[in-house]
Amino acid sequence: MPEPTPLPLALPEGHPFGPHNLPYGVFSTGGTPRRVGVRLGDHVLDTGALATELGSPHAALLSGPTLNPLLAAGRPTWTRVREALTTWVTDPARHPAVERHVHPLTAVELHLPFEVGDYVDFYASEHHASNVGRIFRPDSPTPLTPNWKHLPIGYHGRSGTVVVSGTDVARPRGQRKAPADPAPVFGPSVKLDIEAEVGFVVGVGSERGRAVPLEAYREHVFGLCLLNDWSARDIQAWEYVPLGPFLGKSFATSVSAWVTPLEALETARTVPPARDEALLPYLDDSSAEPGGYDLRISVEVNGQVVSEPPFTTMYWTAAQMLAQTTVNGASLRTGDLYGSGTVSGAEADQLGSLLELTWNGEKPLALAGGERTFLQDGDEVVLRAWAPGALGVPVGLGEVRGRVVPAL
């Protein structure tokens, strides 16, 4: 006889997606409408159906096809909803109802969990920025640009090409020109890369003309997710002077199907690296609560771990990035997404891009299926991460998976 299927609430001890986590996503089953769920172990809990059965006042927020209504509801509501969900999945009296509304992950389709408003990508890792400076400006006396230690550098990306984990990524086409080429050529990128990042999801918007201060970060940011900002390095190198990234970045940004609420990561809060330049008051976090996160990321190419970047090394925090985004009076919208920029550490096995891992192609990466400088068609990249939780139980972040397919 086949082994009985374990009950969804009978999780192994220390499971990274237990009741201490409960990340939010959107799913469907067999052609049914999309609806909000939370991950519990290797199952998805239909939050709207359960809330409706239990007569919860939060049923409407948990029943729609996106997370946006919940995101817009604000911090007090986020807290009450999380408290209710935690009670439902930990109270034995509620377990029969919970088990009526769970689905195995293998039986559902996961979707982009929120409607993306605006998308901003930052450059917050000193190690990454220094490596890029050494690669592209080898004769410069310092690898960092003069402004780097004074403000979080970022650029506005394209929200319409943010895709959920598991979506194939078509190799982009564009102009490219190597330094020795007499003229630019047009065609598929030959330096397709990844950037291992963390994305922050805005819930409550802000008024145009009013900056969001550091201390208001928790009132606006709902949670975070892993993010892969795919990059065509050859297209980018030719186009970015003087205005910055454009087609080399805008073709695809992959995010996890699960958004981890900030409350699940309280134990992972950590102090960012020491500042070696005085910060202007709107960015000065010297007396603020710890603004960093201890996230342990891994990067896999075709099933082989090639790097394990630590998020603890990020120079700029999520609160500082949000403050910089709005200090000029720009407003936030529900569903806005901002990325940390490539996460890289100090060591050779902690680099979050192939640009760094292969030093712009000079040092090919050894993989079981053959060497790589940049990605080939058919390659699959997977980002995974976890954070330390209470009592030593890890908090899992949803993976980001993407496979490269030939240019369309």
Side-chain angles (χ1 to χ4, degrees):
M1 295 180 61
E3 290 291 326
T5 303
L7 295 175
L9 297 178
L11 297 178
E13 185 176 354
H15 196 293
F17 290 98
H20 65 299
N21 189 345
L22 300 180
Y24 293 86
V26 168
F27 75 102
S28 62
T29 54
T32 59
R34 300 182 183 190
R35 56 222 194 255
V36 173
V38 293
R39 180 169 176 178
L40 183 62
D42 296 321
H43 289 75
V44 182
L45 171 60
D46 187 332
T47 56
L50 178 61
T52 298
E53 177 176 334
L54 297 178
S56 168
H58 309 303
L61 290 177
L62 295 172
S63 298
T66 75
L67 290 177
N68 288 56
L70 176 62
L71 299 181
R75 174 63 55 193
T77 298
W78 302 340
T79 299
R80 289 193 293 269
V81 169
R82 180 170 172 80
E83 289 173 349
L85 288 169
T86 303
T87 297
W88 297 343
V89 301
T90 56
D91 180 1
R94 308 293 179 90
H95 286 185
V98 171
E99 292 183 345
R100 284 193 288 273
H101 299 292
V102 291
H103 305 269
L105 276 173
T106 54
V108 306
E109 181 179 358
L110 299 174
H111 305 279
L112 190 64
F114 57 97
E115 293 180 5
V116 182
D118 290 309
Y119 169 52
V120 177
D121 193 41
F122 281 93
Y123 196 45
S125 165
E126 181 177 1
H127 296 295
H128 173 69
S130 296
N131 287 334
V132 171
R134 294 185 185 102
I135 290 171
F136 292 115
R137 298 185 302 276
D139 298 326
S140 175
T142 175
L144 296 177
T145 53
N147 59 351
W148 201 92
K149 289 289 182 79
H150 295 277
L151 58 89
I153 296 172
Y155 72 93
H156 285 274
R158 187 175 182 86
S159 60
T161 49
V162 176
V163 297
V164 71
S165 173
T167 304
D168 288 345
V169 174
R171 183 177 298 274
R173 297 179 184 270
Q175 287 192 28
R176 62 181 191 271
K177 180 184 179 300
D181 292 343
V185 298
F186 177 83
S189 169
V190 296
K191 287 189 173 183
L192 183 57
D193 198 0
I194 57 102
E195 292 189 347
E197 303 192 22
V198 174
F200 297 88
V201 181
V202 171
V204 175
S206 64
E207 181 183 350
R208 184 168 58 87
R210 291 185 178 274
V212 175
L214 295 176
E215 61 270 18
Y217 161 73
R218 291 174 183 267
E219 304 307 311
H220 292 274
V221 174
F222 175 80
L224 56 79
C225 61
L226 286 179
L227 182 152
N228 181 357
D229 199 29
W230 304 81
S231 300
R233 300 297 184 185
D234 45 355
I235 296 173
Q236 181 182 357
W238 173 234
E239 73 179 1
Y240 84 103
V241 178
L243 295 181
F246 185 38
L247 301 183
K249 291 282 195 172
S250 63
F251 60 96
T253 300
S254 298
V255 295
S256 170
W258 302 104
V259 179
T260 302
L262 294 187
E263 292 94 331
L265 295 165
E266 284 304 302
T267 306
R269 296 296 291 266
T270 187
V271 176
R275 318 296 184 187
D276 46 21
E277 291 281 357
L279 296 178
L280 291 171
Y282 78 97
L283 291 172
D284 184 2
D285 61 352
S286 57
S287 60
E289 62 179 352
Y293 289 96
D294 183 4
L295 308 178
R296 323 288 177 86
I297 303 170
S298 69
V299 181
E300 296 179 11
V301 179
N302 298 335
Q304 182 175 331
V305 175
V306 298
S307 179
E308 295 184 317
F311 199 71
T312 52
T313 62
M314 300 299 278
Y315 191 87
W316 297 105
T317 70
Q320 289 171 320
M321 288 182 257
L322 189 70
Q324 182 66 26
T325 300
T326 61
V327 71
N328 67 341
S331 56
L332 299 174
R333 294 190 294 170
T334 296
D336 280 359
L337 172 68
Y338 63 99
S340 63
T342 304
V343 182
S344 289
E347 306 301 325
D349 60 353
Q350 296 179 336
L351 306 177
S353 68
L354 292 176
L355 176 70
E356 298 166 272
L357 286 166
T358 71
W359 212 249
N360 199 23
E362 293 181 8
K363 303 174 182 178
L365 191 66
L367 297 178
E371 290 186 338
R372 292 290 187 278
T373 52
F374 291 94
L375 295 173
Q376 296 181 7
D377 292 349
D379 285 347
E380 185 175 56
V381 178
V382 182
L383 308 182
R384 307 181 198 274
W386 63 277
L391 303 177
V393 179
V395 178
L397 274 66
E399 70 174 26
V400 176
R401 181 181 298 269
R403 183 171 62 94
V404 180
V405 298
L408 299 177

